[in-house]
């Protein structure tokens, strides 16, 4: 146990250079963006003197090196700066909006797992069948179709044509009241409050954006599940288990799928990170009040602090997800070392 704790600590230390690199790159790239935030906030009719005063108030009249050390000093104290577009601290904005993004991401990933893993297993056990061709079709569609196109298509079909889905405007319809804040996840908080009406209202709003993300995530998960199962089914230990007369369910579940789950679990970590990035477009299409839509608004306004806070939050989430996957791999298979 002590050895694993040391190894986890080593992984955390190895992640520090990556986080530092993200801080530097995000700082430089945000200042390389076209547009001047001083002009944006001074107004289009402002004169040069007013713009200069705004630039000085924002600290943009200093050199990049001075601005970077001021930013990192504030960062170490937990201050991500003030969002110029909303007038609130960036950390408060991120913590307020993060539950909405996480709820959408978890819903999309969960939907993708429920469809992709059984589909990949069935496709591997029946190569060349119609279900194998269906798996390939869904994988191709998930890879080829952009998330914003999928979202607009689902919205047009189920909301505009069929009228089955509610208006795609946020996390809950205007006739319902958000549940009391506990976790920030509307589905969880409504269940904790015992309010099934709010739960169903939140779930209906979540279905279309989650399906959009789910189709995007389905492709790599189904493809990896199929490939890993085909590799496991052709291995010596599976052939030996079949030769010993073990039941088909035992061979598939205990021997084949358990070994195939390792690369699938690794893929889930990467897919989760990709979904956090794909949230940006999906949230904008469905007016979802998450950190993705906040980042786009900040980018348009050249809001440096907000953009840097968003990039840093995504980088930290990526590090946490990958560390969690490493730990889970050792639980599933002790042969896997954390260094791998």
């Amino acid at each position: 146990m002590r050895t694993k704790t040391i190894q986890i600590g080593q992984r955390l230390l190895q992640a520090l250079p990556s986080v530092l690199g993200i801080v530097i790159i995000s700082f430089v790239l945000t200042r390389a963006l076209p547009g001047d935030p001083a002009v944006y906030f001074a107004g289009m009719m402002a004169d040069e003197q007013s713009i200069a005063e705004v630039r000085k108030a924002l600290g943009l009249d200093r050199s990049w090196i001075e601005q970077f050390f001021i930013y990192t000093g504030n960062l170490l104290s937990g201050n991500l700066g003030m969002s110029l577009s909303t007038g609130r601290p960036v950390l408060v904005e991120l913590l307020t909006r993060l539950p909405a993004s996480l709820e959408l991401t978890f819903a999309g990933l969960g939907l993708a797992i429920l469809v992709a893993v059984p589909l990949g297993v069935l496709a591997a056990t029946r190569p060349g069948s119609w279900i194998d061709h269906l798996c390939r079709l869904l994988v191709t569609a998930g890879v080829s179709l952009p998330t914003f196109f999928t979202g607009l298509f689902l919205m047009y079909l189920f909301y505009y044509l069929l009228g089955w889905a509610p208006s795609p405007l946020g996390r809950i319809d205007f006739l319902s009241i958000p549940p009391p804040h506990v976790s920030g996840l509307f589905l969880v908080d409504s269940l904790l409050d015992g309010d099934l009406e709010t739960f169903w209202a939140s779930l209906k709003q979540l279905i279309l954006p989650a399906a959009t993300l789910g189709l995007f995530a389905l492709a790599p998960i189904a493809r990896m599940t199929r490939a890993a199962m085909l590799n496991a089914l052709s291995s010596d230990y599976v052939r030996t288990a079949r030769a010993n007369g073990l039941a088909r369910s035992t061979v598939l579940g205990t021997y084949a799928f358990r070994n195939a789950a390792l690369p699938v679990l690794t893929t889930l970590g990467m897919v989760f990170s990709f979904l956090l990035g794909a949230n940006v477009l999906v949230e904008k299409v469905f007016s979802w009040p998450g950190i993705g839509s906040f980042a786009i608004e900040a980018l348009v306004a050249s809001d440096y602090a907000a953009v840097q806070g968003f990039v840093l939050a995504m980088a930290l989430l990526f590090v946490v997800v990958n560390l969690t996957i490493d730990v889970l791999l050792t639980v599933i298979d002790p042969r896997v070392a954390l260094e791998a």
Side-chain angles (χ1 to χ4, degrees), residues 292-315:
S293 57
F294 172 66
I296 290 182
E297 295 167 1
L299 192 62
V300 172
S302 297
D303 192 347
Y304 292 159
V307 175
Q308 289 168 173
F310 169 77
V311 174
L312 184 60
M314 292 298 99

PDB file of all heavy atoms in Angstrom, residues 292-315:
ATOM      1  N   GLY A 292     -17.840  25.503 -21.093  1.00  0.00           N
ATOM      2  CA  GLY A 292     -17.526  25.607 -22.509  1.00  0.00           C
ATOM      3  C   GLY A 292     -18.109  26.860 -23.129  1.00  0.00           C
ATOM      4  O   GLY A 292     -17.418  27.613 -23.830  1.00  0.00           O
ATOM      5  N   SER A 293     -19.398  27.119 -22.885  1.00  0.00           N
ATOM      6  CA  SER A 293     -20.022  28.333 -23.399  1.00  0.00           C
ATOM      7  C   SER A 293     -19.399  29.572 -22.757  1.00  0.00           C
ATOM      8  O   SER A 293     -19.241  30.613 -23.404  1.00  0.00           O
ATOM      9  CB  SER A 293     -21.529  28.295 -23.136  1.00  0.00           C
ATOM     10  OG  SER A 293     -21.803  28.137 -21.755  1.00  0.00           O
ATOM     11  N   PHE A 294     -19.017  29.470 -21.490  1.00  0.00           N
ATOM     12  CA  PHE A 294     -18.331  30.579 -20.818  1.00  0.00           C
ATOM     13  C   PHE A 294     -16.998  30.874 -21.483  1.00  0.00           C
ATOM     14  O   PHE A 294     -16.627  32.044 -21.661  1.00  0.00           O
ATOM     15  CB  PHE A 294     -18.131  30.223 -19.342  1.00  0.00           C
ATOM     16  CG  PHE A 294     -17.268  31.186 -18.579  1.00  0.00           C
ATOM     17  CD1 PHE A 294     -17.682  32.485 -18.372  1.00  0.00           C
ATOM     18  CD2 PHE A 294     -16.032  30.788 -18.079  1.00  0.00           C
ATOM     19  CE1 PHE A 294     -16.877  33.388 -17.669  1.00  0.00           C
ATOM     20  CE2 PHE A 294     -15.234  31.672 -17.377  1.00  0.00           C
ATOM     21  CZ  PHE A 294     -15.660  32.975 -17.170  1.00  0.00           C
ATOM     22  N   ALA A 295     -16.273  29.828 -21.896  1.00  0.00           N
ATOM     23  CA  ALA A 295     -14.974  30.018 -22.547  1.00  0.00           C
ATOM     24  C   ALA A 295     -15.133  30.694 -23.913  1.00  0.00           C
ATOM     25  O   ALA A 295     -14.322  31.552 -24.282  1.00  0.00           O
ATOM     26  CB  ALA A 295     -14.264  28.679 -22.700  1.00  0.00           C
ATOM     27  N   ILE A 296     -16.159  30.321 -24.666  1.00  0.00           N
ATOM     28  CA  ILE A 296     -16.380  30.942 -25.975  1.00  0.00           C
ATOM     29  C   ILE A 296     -16.693  32.424 -25.817  1.00  0.00           C
ATOM     30  O   ILE A 296     -16.156  33.278 -26.546  1.00  0.00           O
ATOM     31  CB  ILE A 296     -17.521  30.223 -26.725  1.00  0.00           C
ATOM     32  CG1 ILE A 296     -17.083  28.827 -27.148  1.00  0.00           C
ATOM     33  CG2 ILE A 296     -17.952  31.025 -27.946  1.00  0.00           C
ATOM     34  CD1 ILE A 296     -18.129  28.064 -27.930  1.00  0.00           C
ATOM     35  N   GLU A 297     -17.560  32.760 -24.872  1.00  0.00           N
ATOM     36  CA  GLU A 297     -17.892  34.158 -24.633  1.00  0.00           C
ATOM     37  C   GLU A 297     -16.656  34.947 -24.198  1.00  0.00           C
ATOM     38  O   GLU A 297     -16.455  36.092 -24.626  1.00  0.00           O
ATOM     39  CB  GLU A 297     -18.981  34.254 -23.565  1.00  0.00           C
ATOM     40  CG  GLU A 297     -20.310  33.641 -23.990  1.00  0.00           C
ATOM     41  CD  GLU A 297     -21.270  33.460 -22.834  1.00  0.00           C
ATOM     42  OE1 GLU A 297     -20.891  33.842 -21.701  1.00  0.00           O
ATOM     43  OE2 GLU A 297     -22.382  32.941 -23.051  1.00  0.00           O
ATOM     44  N   ALA A 298     -15.812  34.330 -23.361  1.00  0.00           N
ATOM     45  CA  ALA A 298     -14.595  35.001 -22.927  1.00  0.00           C
ATOM     46  C   ALA A 298     -13.609  35.169 -24.079  1.00  0.00           C
ATOM     47  O   ALA A 298     -12.914  36.185 -24.180  1.00  0.00           O
ATOM     48  CB  ALA A 298     -13.942  34.208 -21.792  1.00  0.00           C
ATOM     49  N   LEU A 299     -13.559  34.184 -24.974  1.00  0.00           N
ATOM     50  CA  LEU A 299     -12.649  34.257 -26.113  1.00  0.00           C
ATOM     51  C   LEU A 299     -13.053  35.381 -27.062  1.00  0.00           C
ATOM     52  O   LEU A 299     -12.199  36.118 -27.568  1.00  0.00           O
ATOM     53  CB  LEU A 299     -12.642  32.923 -26.851  1.00  0.00           C
ATOM     54  CG  LEU A 299     -11.557  32.694 -27.912  1.00  0.00           C
ATOM     55  CD1 LEU A 299     -10.184  32.753 -27.285  1.00  0.00           C
ATOM     56  CD2 LEU A 299     -11.772  31.352 -28.600  1.00  0.00           C
ATOM     57  N   VAL A 300     -14.352  35.524 -27.296  1.00  0.00           N
ATOM     58  CA  VAL A 300     -14.837  36.592 -28.172  1.00  0.00           C
ATOM     59  C   VAL A 300     -14.513  37.967 -27.584  1.00  0.00           C
ATOM     60  O   VAL A 300     -14.161  38.905 -28.314  1.00  0.00           O
ATOM     61  CB  VAL A 300     -16.362  36.440 -28.388  1.00  0.00           C
ATOM     62  CG1 VAL A 300     -16.928  37.641 -29.136  1.00  0.00           C
ATOM     63  CG2 VAL A 300     -16.659  35.164 -29.158  1.00  0.00           C
ATOM     64  N   ALA A 301     -14.596  38.079 -26.255  1.00  0.00           N
ATOM     65  CA  ALA A 301     -14.347  39.347 -25.589  1.00  0.00           C
ATOM     66  C   ALA A 301     -12.880  39.569 -25.254  1.00  0.00           C
ATOM     67  O   ALA A 301     -12.547  40.586 -24.636  1.00  0.00           O
ATOM     68  CB  ALA A 301     -15.171  39.418 -24.307  1.00  0.00           C
ATOM     69  N   SER A 302     -11.997  38.631 -25.680  1.00  0.00           N
ATOM     70  CA  SER A 302     -10.566  38.698 -25.332  1.00  0.00           C
ATOM     71  C   SER A 302     -10.372  38.814 -23.823  1.00  0.00           C
ATOM     72  O   SER A 302      -9.531  39.575 -23.337  1.00  0.00           O
ATOM     73  CB  SER A 302      -9.894  39.882 -26.046  1.00  0.00           C
ATOM     74  OG  SER A 302      -9.943  39.728 -27.443  1.00  0.00           O
ATOM     75  N   ASP A 303     -11.167  38.066 -23.086  1.00  0.00           N
ATOM     76  CA  ASP A 303     -11.097  38.052 -21.625  1.00  0.00           C
ATOM     77  C   ASP A 303      -9.996  37.085 -21.214  1.00  0.00           C
ATOM     78  O   ASP A 303     -10.218  35.880 -21.054  1.00  0.00           O
ATOM     79  CB  ASP A 303     -12.451  37.622 -21.065  1.00  0.00           C
ATOM     80  CG  ASP A 303     -12.565  37.849 -19.565  1.00  0.00           C
ATOM     81  OD1 ASP A 303     -11.533  38.106 -18.926  1.00  0.00           O
ATOM     82  OD2 ASP A 303     -13.687  37.765 -19.033  1.00  0.00           O
ATOM     83  N   TYR A 304      -8.787  37.620 -21.044  1.00  0.00           N
ATOM     84  CA  TYR A 304      -7.610  36.786 -20.812  1.00  0.00           C
ATOM     85  C   TYR A 304      -7.758  35.893 -19.588  1.00  0.00           C
ATOM     86  O   TYR A 304      -7.475  34.689 -19.637  1.00  0.00           O
ATOM     87  CB  TYR A 304      -6.366  37.667 -20.643  1.00  0.00           C
ATOM     88  CG  TYR A 304      -5.927  38.398 -21.880  1.00  0.00           C
ATOM     89  CD1 TYR A 304      -5.123  39.535 -21.791  1.00  0.00           C
ATOM     90  CD2 TYR A 304      -6.317  37.957 -23.145  1.00  0.00           C
ATOM     91  CE1 TYR A 304      -4.709  40.214 -22.926  1.00  0.00           C
ATOM     92  CE2 TYR A 304      -5.910  38.628 -24.286  1.00  0.00           C
ATOM     93  CZ  TYR A 304      -5.115  39.758 -24.176  1.00  0.00           C
ATOM     94  OH  TYR A 304      -4.719  40.420 -25.298  1.00  0.00           O
ATOM     95  N   ALA A 305      -8.160  36.467 -18.469  1.00  0.00           N
ATOM     96  CA  ALA A 305      -8.227  35.706 -17.222  1.00  0.00           C
ATOM     97  C   ALA A 305      -9.200  34.538 -17.339  1.00  0.00           C
ATOM     98  O   ALA A 305      -8.916  33.435 -16.871  1.00  0.00           O
ATOM     99  CB  ALA A 305      -8.629  36.625 -16.075  1.00  0.00           C
ATOM    100  N   ALA A 306     -10.344  34.764 -17.968  1.00  0.00           N
ATOM    101  CA  ALA A 306     -11.340  33.697 -18.094  1.00  0.00           C
ATOM    102  C   ALA A 306     -10.848  32.570 -19.002  1.00  0.00           C
ATOM    103  O   ALA A 306     -11.029  31.396 -18.698  1.00  0.00           O
ATOM    104  CB  ALA A 306     -12.649  34.278 -18.640  1.00  0.00           C
ATOM    105  N   VAL A 307     -10.221  32.927 -20.127  1.00  0.00           N
ATOM    106  CA  VAL A 307      -9.710  31.908 -21.045  1.00  0.00           C
ATOM    107  C   VAL A 307      -8.603  31.099 -20.379  1.00  0.00           C
ATOM    108  O   VAL A 307      -8.562  29.860 -20.479  1.00  0.00           O
ATOM    109  CB  VAL A 307      -9.196  32.552 -22.345  1.00  0.00           C
ATOM    110  CG1 VAL A 307      -8.547  31.519 -23.246  1.00  0.00           C
ATOM    111  CG2 VAL A 307     -10.346  33.239 -23.085  1.00  0.00           C
ATOM    112  N   GLN A 308      -7.698  31.768 -19.686  1.00  0.00           N
ATOM    113  CA  GLN A 308      -6.617  31.067 -18.994  1.00  0.00           C
ATOM    114  C   GLN A 308      -7.166  30.161 -17.900  1.00  0.00           C
ATOM    115  O   GLN A 308      -6.683  29.036 -17.712  1.00  0.00           O
ATOM    116  CB  GLN A 308      -5.646  32.089 -18.396  1.00  0.00           C
ATOM    117  CG  GLN A 308      -4.824  32.811 -19.449  1.00  0.00           C
ATOM    118  CD  GLN A 308      -4.082  34.012 -18.892  1.00  0.00           C
ATOM    119  OE1 GLN A 308      -3.283  34.618 -19.575  1.00  0.00           O
ATOM    120  NE2 GLN A 308      -4.357  34.389 -17.663  1.00  0.00           N
ATOM    121  N   GLY A 309      -8.166  30.623 -17.184  1.00  0.00           N
ATOM    122  CA  GLY A 309      -8.774  29.791 -16.143  1.00  0.00           C
ATOM    123  C   GLY A 309      -9.431  28.558 -16.722  1.00  0.00           C
ATOM    124  O   GLY A 309      -9.325  27.460 -16.157  1.00  0.00           O
ATOM    125  N   PHE A 310     -10.102  28.702 -17.860  1.00  0.00           N
ATOM    126  CA  PHE A 310     -10.741  27.558 -18.516  1.00  0.00           C
ATOM    127  C   PHE A 310      -9.697  26.531 -18.961  1.00  0.00           C
ATOM    128  O   PHE A 310      -9.847  25.332 -18.711  1.00  0.00           O
ATOM    129  CB  PHE A 310     -11.545  28.048 -19.725  1.00  0.00           C
ATOM    130  CG  PHE A 310     -12.022  26.942 -20.625  1.00  0.00           C
ATOM    131  CD1 PHE A 310     -13.113  26.165 -20.277  1.00  0.00           C
ATOM    132  CD2 PHE A 310     -11.372  26.678 -21.826  1.00  0.00           C
ATOM    133  CE1 PHE A 310     -13.555  25.137 -21.113  1.00  0.00           C
ATOM    134  CE2 PHE A 310     -11.813  25.665 -22.664  1.00  0.00           C
ATOM    135  CZ  PHE A 310     -12.897  24.889 -22.305  1.00  0.00           C
ATOM    136  N   VAL A 311      -8.633  26.990 -19.614  1.00  0.00           N
ATOM    137  CA  VAL A 311      -7.595  26.074 -20.099  1.00  0.00           C
ATOM    138  C   VAL A 311      -6.924  25.357 -18.927  1.00  0.00           C
ATOM    139  O   VAL A 311      -6.669  24.148 -18.977  1.00  0.00           O
ATOM    140  CB  VAL A 311      -6.559  26.836 -20.937  1.00  0.00           C
ATOM    141  CG1 VAL A 311      -5.396  25.922 -21.323  1.00  0.00           C
ATOM    142  CG2 VAL A 311      -7.205  27.404 -22.199  1.00  0.00           C
ATOM    143  N   LEU A 312      -6.650  26.095 -17.865  1.00  0.00           N
ATOM    144  CA  LEU A 312      -6.008  25.490 -16.697  1.00  0.00           C
ATOM    145  C   LEU A 312      -6.925  24.461 -16.039  1.00  0.00           C
ATOM    146  O   LEU A 312      -6.478  23.380 -15.633  1.00  0.00           O
ATOM    147  CB  LEU A 312      -5.635  26.580 -15.695  1.00  0.00           C
ATOM    148  CG  LEU A 312      -4.854  26.118 -14.456  1.00  0.00           C
ATOM    149  CD1 LEU A 312      -3.532  25.484 -14.854  1.00  0.00           C
ATOM    150  CD2 LEU A 312      -4.618  27.296 -13.512  1.00  0.00           C
ATOM    151  N   ALA A 313      -8.219  24.767 -15.950  1.00  0.00           N
ATOM    152  CA  ALA A 313      -9.169  23.813 -15.365  1.00  0.00           C
ATOM    153  C   ALA A 313      -9.240  22.538 -16.196  1.00  0.00           C
ATOM    154  O   ALA A 313      -9.277  21.426 -15.647  1.00  0.00           O
ATOM    155  CB  ALA A 313     -10.554  24.462 -15.256  1.00  0.00           C
ATOM    156  N   MET A 314      -9.250  22.671 -17.530  1.00  0.00           N
ATOM    157  CA  MET A 314      -9.277  21.492 -18.397  1.00  0.00           C
ATOM    158  C   MET A 314      -8.007  20.662 -18.232  1.00  0.00           C
ATOM    159  O   MET A 314      -8.054  19.426 -18.221  1.00  0.00           O
ATOM    160  CB  MET A 314      -9.436  21.916 -19.857  1.00  0.00           C
ATOM    161  CG  MET A 314     -10.779  22.522 -20.209  1.00  0.00           C
ATOM    162  SD  MET A 314     -12.158  21.374 -19.970  1.00  0.00           S
ATOM    163  CE  MET A 314     -12.759  21.909 -18.365  1.00  0.00           C
ATOM    164  N   ALA A 315      -6.865  21.332 -18.111  1.00  0.00           N
ATOM    165  CA  ALA A 315      -5.601  20.607 -17.945  1.00  0.00           C
ATOM    166  C   ALA A 315      -5.576  19.830 -16.629  1.00  0.00           C
ATOM    167  O   ALA A 315      -5.147  18.672 -16.585  1.00  0.00           O
ATOM    168  CB  ALA A 315      -4.426  21.591 -18.007  1.00  0.00           C
TER     169      ALA A 315
END
